[in-house]
Amino acid sequence: MSTSTLKLAVILASVRENRFGPTVANWFVKKAEAHGGFEVDLIDLAEHELPYVLSHQPSAEVTETLSKVTPRLEQADAFVVVTPEYNHSFPASLKSLIDWHYTQWQAKPVGLVSYGGLSGGLRSAEQLRPIFGELHAVPVREQISFHTAWEQFDENGQPKDETGTSIAAKTQLDQLGWWADALREARARKPYGK
């Protein structure tokens, strides 16, 4: 049984100007670090401009961009996607990241943290479940959503409902930890898909 710390990649999906995403992502990263079960790596897609045109033979420039993200996804034992909802779906930046990678997602758990207006980003999160399933990832049941998100956080970037959000984060992180540990052990015994 492995005793090394599980690696959690938190993916901040929004790349919009004046985005609210960093507030939600930074809150979740702090919760994940305080949880104690993970080494946390925040991947902000605004810092990694992946092209939307896919290629089996990417240019040197695209290869360089991918080299800053792909190894981090490869090393992760689990993922949390922090996503807004744009027009009833998730951002193109996230779809591009997903589509540029395949084996990096396999046999690893994925947690979803969504935010938005009245729906709290739930439609974007629900669209991601079958996509990650197609990639042989394991979306965990518990997800976190912030409805009218900009009203749910104070000026210091902390949720106004600290108790409820802390319980939700711990529940999701506990599930991710269980699945990440189990799947890492399984991958160590036998590489996935072989």
Side-chain angles (χ1 to χ4, degrees):
M1 179 179 264
S2 175
T3 58
S4 63
T5 304
L6 295 166
K7 294 181 180 177
L8 174 66
V10 177
I11 300 165
L12 172 51
S14 176
V15 297
R16 269 191 180 172
E17 291 181 8
N18 302 314
R19 62 198 172 139
F20 191 74
T23 300
V24 180
N26 290 334
W27 164 78
F28 189 83
V29 164
K30 288 177 185 168
K31 289 296 178 187
E33 290 171 343
H35 182 270
F38 302 96
E39 176 185 322
V40 184
D41 178 19
L42 176 61
I43 301 173
D44 185 346
L45 296 187
E47 298 172 0
H48 306 284
E49 198 168 327
L50 297 174
Y52 300 127
V53 177
L54 302 174
S55 171
H56 291 292
Q57 297 178 331
S59 68
E61 182 180 0
V62 172
T63 300
E64 173 66 21
T65 300
L66 289 169
S67 74
K68 295 174 184 168
V69 177
T70 303
R72 294 163 72 182
L73 298 178
E74 186 71 42
Q75 293 166 7
D77 296 301
F79 305 98
V80 167
V81 176
V82 178
T83 184
E85 181 178 310
Y86 298 156
N87 303 316
H88 287 213
S89 190
F90 53 89
S93 54
L94 178 57
K95 188 65 164 82
S96 184
L97 176 76
I98 291 169
D99 289 348
W100 272 107
H101 298 90
Y102 185 69
T103 59
Q104 292 79 10
W105 309 111
Q106 291 182 341
K108 296 177 183 179
V110 179
L112 301 170
V113 176
S114 65
Y115 63 94
L118 292 176
S119 75
L122 291 174
R123 292 173 289 219
S124 62
E126 287 307 306
Q127 288 181 21
L128 286 166
R129 289 183 179 282
I131 292 169
F132 280 116
E134 175 65 19
L135 294 166
H136 301 255
V138 181
V140 298
R141 181 185 180 280
E142 298 300 325
Q143 70 185 52
I144 301 166
S145 65
F146 291 97
H147 304 259
T148 57
W150 47 93
E151 297 176 5
Q152 305 307 316
F153 287 79
D154 65 22
E155 63 279 356
N156 298 315
Q158 295 304 307
K160 293 177 182 176
D161 174 13
E162 180 59 35
T163 302
T165 56
S166 291
I167 291 169
K170 181 182 184 319
T171 300
Q172 185 180 81
L173 288 161
D174 287 347
Q175 285 186 4
L176 283 166
W178 190 93
W179 279 105
D181 187 56
L183 291 170
R184 180 171 66 178
E185 292 296 326
R187 291 192 313 272
R189 284 192 307 272
K190 181 179 180 184
Y192 185 78
K194 295 189 180 184

